[in-house]
Amino acid sequence: MDANSAVSAYSKALKAGLREHKHCMASGVPSYVQVLDEVFPDSNSAQQQSVGPMEIPIDLIVGTKTAGRQYALSPSFLPLLSPQSEFANKWANLCVAHLGEVGIREPIICYEYLGRFYVQEGNKRVSVLRYFGAPRIPATVHRIVPPMDGTPRIQAYYEFLDFFKASRLYAVQFRRPGDYAKLLQAVGKEPGESWTEEERRTFNAYYSYFRDAFSQLGSLQEDVLPEEALLLWLQLYSYRDLGRFSVSEIRKALTAMRYDMLSAASHDSIKVHTT
């Protein structure tokens, strides 16, 4: 990509960002990226862990650590600043690098809180890579651990910490205690059993197929997380079926399970009854 094409790409990304910004404002939802210091004001004094360098799912990056760049980016990390800004110029330069021979290799620095990521350094890199559809991004991750308060979400997160130690997977973020144990059983792994790199790649690929199918169900996604739908699906099908079924076949099965997924969203006791 040459410089002119990169400038054109920024203009298209800016138009998409402004559309998203206006839509969010009209809908009464946040129209900029989130800020961790506002989401969790005690983040600087909370317990922190160094997770180290790894690749993280780019769609789990939801905001910035501080408010410095908040107003430059829409919730999907699309740009909002003028094409004549320094931000736009650097964004276009990253475009050229990303589509050139070198690529974007320098890891971003980010904080993870409750399974979501907030960028301290590298917002423009995230913006460019998300715009071009990159699924993952190299990152140096610092984790902020919330205090245990007995709520189901925090209990589930502490179970995630044990799950992560063995799997090094961020892809699934359950809201209810016990769901990680159900997933391990369905996958055929014991609690605490280390995952190989091949097992991680396989799970990420299978889950990507599943999320593609789930994303086609429309408004159901507002109430049900894809990982919650996956647990229900795995009550009827085997883990390996995720690699054998097409996206359309998975979507058809999910459509038949709509009632069960809505029950899951209300946290009712669930018994899958799909024929």
Side-chain angles (χ1 to χ4, degrees):
M1 174 179 281
D2 59 24
N4 289 333
S5 298
V7 170
S8 177
Y10 183 84
S11 296
K12 293 177 182 178
L14 175 61
K15 289 179 181 178
L18 292 173
R19 282 197 302 270
E20 181 183 26
H21 177 69
K22 291 178 181 178
H23 175 75
C24 290
M25 290 186 67
S27 303
V29 298
S31 54
Y32 300 101
V33 292
Q34 300 176 36
V35 176
L36 177 57
D37 290 347
E38 296 174 359
V39 173
F40 185 41
D42 296 329
S43 61
N44 291 322
S45 59
Q47 178 188 348
Q48 295 189 16
Q49 299 175 354
S50 176
V51 181
M54 63 181 299
E55 286 196 337
I56 61 174
I58 203 165
D59 60 351
L60 294 183
I61 301 175
V62 299
T64 60
K65 174 62 170 67
T66 62
R69 277 297 183 190
Q70 179 185 22
Y71 301 112
L73 298 160
S74 75
S76 296
F77 269 80
L78 292 165
L80 296 174
L81 299 183
S82 162
Q84 286 73 47
S85 64
E86 180 184 5
F87 181 94
N89 183 56
K90 291 182 177 179
W91 197 100
N93 290 338
L94 284 170
C95 245
V96 175
H98 172 56
L99 297 178
E101 295 182 2
V102 178
I104 296 176
R105 297 181 179 180
E106 184 180 359
I108 65 170
I109 298 175
C110 63
Y111 285 81
E112 178 255 311
Y113 174 66
L114 292 180
R116 297 295 183 263
F117 298 95
Y118 301 82
V119 182
Q120 183 179 41
E121 294 181 15
N123 293 302
K124 290 182 286 296
R125 278 168 271 166
V126 174
S127 180
V128 169
L129 290 175
R130 283 191 70 159
Y131 176 73
F132 285 101
R136 310 181 75 77
I137 186 171
T140 299
V141 180
H142 304 278
R143 174 181 291 146
I144 294 177
V145 182
M148 173 62 83
D149 62 4
T151 62
R153 179 65 185 93
I154 299 301
Q155 289 181 51
Y157 182 73
Y158 272 76
E159 292 179 6
F160 160 75
L161 296 180
D162 292 331
F163 172 79
F164 180 84
K165 286 178 184 177
S167 68
R168 299 286 293 181
L169 288 172
Y170 264 110
V172 287
Q173 295 292 326
F174 292 113
R175 298 180 289 188
R176 293 190 298 264
D179 281 355
Y180 286 103
K182 295 175 184 176
L183 178 64
L184 288 174
Q185 183 178 17
V187 173
K189 301 289 288 185
E190 294 293 329
E193 180 184 352
S194 294
W195 292 49
T196 65
E197 182 60 31
E198 182 179 356
E199 288 172 332
R200 282 191 286 271
R201 286 198 301 265
T202 297
F203 182 87
N204 282 327
Y206 285 0
Y207 188 54
S208 178
Y209 301 149
F210 186 87
R211 288 192 63 177
D212 286 347
F214 183 78
S215 68
Q216 297 173 21
L217 298 182
S219 60
L220 185 65
Q221 301 172 71
E222 298 175 3
D223 300 309
V224 184
L225 296 178
E227 44 267 72
E228 293 168 346
L230 175 63
L231 282 186
L232 291 175
W233 194 88
L234 288 171
Q235 292 183 33
L236 297 175
Y237 303 95
S238 75
Y239 174 60
R240 293 298 171 186
D241 284 336
L242 287 169
R244 290 191 284 263
F245 285 20
S246 67
V247 170
S248 61
E249 288 172 323
I250 296 174
R251 184 185 68 245
K252 182 178 179 181
L254 285 171
T255 301
M257 296 171 62
R258 181 176 292 269
Y259 173 82
D260 302 291
M261 288 188 285
L262 289 173
S263 295
S266 65
H267 294 192
D268 292 337
S269 178
I270 303 164
K271 181 178 180 180
V272 177
H273 61 80
T274 304
T275 303

